[in-house]
Amino acid sequence: MKSRTLNPALAMAGLVLWSGAHGMDKHEPAFSRVIIDQLEVRDADPGTVAAWEASAWYGGDIDKLYLSTEGERLMDQGGDTEAFETRLAWSHAFAPFWDWQLGARRDWQPDDPNRDWASIGVQGVAPYRFETNVNLFIGEHGLTQLRLETEYELLFTQKLILVPALEMNLAGKADDELHTGAGLMDVEAGLRLRYEIRRELAPYIGVNWERRFGDTASRTRDAGGEVEETTLVAGVRMWF
């Protein structure tokens, strides 16, 4: 079996993550929460796609361990997983409603090599109550990615809520194995209308739009893929 050199940045992230977890104030009350922000089906061109975004944390008001996952799985034609990502981080509050995070991410690819990344980022609530996440990922062979995410909750009533969301991914250099280019790789925008049966359970419907750009779009076309897709979605949001 071919040995694989450990990414130094990933090793450092793991050390800080371990140190942060063991350095939590033992007198601070600890809480936990699991949030399944999106669990939905999408009417895509290849067939029906199941998609998910979920996160969980454990800790106090200042320090937490944070776990997140997102991915897509084709429900038709054998049900192949198209993409699957997990991230583990130590989250530390540095201002009201703002945390910085340091951790590690793994991309699980069904047909291509898996990718490991160290991650550093911030998340919180920007002015006008925009929930914002900014993460820098540092991978092997000098690969870097920057991810920007934001969403807003527009309340029509206490139970009926419209959520526009936007995500952008940029890369520092091309990745030939994964057929992605440098610069702006893709943009994803969604609009979901949910109804909270109770705060912990809310079905929703909406629309999702994805578009690849630049060299990534060219590589996608060369591989026979689509560079733009708009899908109708239906799903449920829940937490406990």
Side-chain angles (χ1 to χ4, degrees), residues 175-195:
D175 187 340
D176 294 331
E177 291 183 317
L178 296 183
H179 313 293
T180 57
L184 178 61
M185 295 192 299
D186 57 65
V187 173
E188 180 175 355
L191 192 63
R192 291 167 175 82
L193 180 66
R194 72 172 187 254
Y195 180 80

Side-chain angles (χ1 to χ4, degrees), residues 35-42 49-54 69 71 73 75 192 201-205 233-238 240:
I35 302 174
I36 303 174
D37 198 50
Q38 294 178 15
L39 182 60
E40 64 189 33
V41 292
R42 300 178 179 177
V49 172
W52 69 90
E53 288 186 15
T69 176
R73 183 177 179 85
M75 299 175 66
R192 291 167 175 82
L201 180 64
Y204 62 83
I205 57 173
V233 306
V236 63
R237 181 183 188 271
M238 51 188 158
F240 50 90

Side-chain angles (χ1 to χ4, degrees), residues 75-183:
M75 299 175 66
D76 303 328
Q77 302 173 5
D80 294 331
T81 299
E82 296 185 335
F84 179 30
E85 172 190 309
T86 55
R87 188 161 66 91
L88 179 66
W90 170 47
S91 183
H92 179 78
F94 66 88
F97 309 111
W98 284 96
D99 296 350
W100 68 262
Q101 296 182 337
L102 181 64
R105 161 188 151 194
R106 164 158 279 206
D107 298 341
W108 309 84
Q109 307 288 343
D111 301 317
D112 298 304
N114 295 330
R115 281 284 184 267
D116 292 319
W117 311 80
S119 68
I120 183 170
V122 294
Q123 71 171 16
V125 181
Y128 303 103
R129 300 188 63 81
F130 282 90
E131 294 187 16
T132 304
N133 287 275
V134 180
N135 283 283
L136 173 65
F137 301 106
I138 304 170
E140 300 170 285
H141 314 301
L143 295 173
T144 57
Q145 290 184 2
L146 180 66
R147 179 179 296 169
L148 311 172
E149 300 173 273
T150 187
E151 70 174 40
Y152 181 78
E153 293 189 348
L154 178 62
L155 276 68
F156 293 135
T157 70
Q158 290 299 315
K159 291 182 175 291
L160 190 62
I161 303 170
L162 183 66
V163 184
L166 179 69
E167 177 182 318
M168 301 173 59
N169 288 284
L170 302 95
K173 62 183 292 188
D175 187 340
D176 294 331
E177 291 183 317
L178 296 183
H179 313 293
T180 57

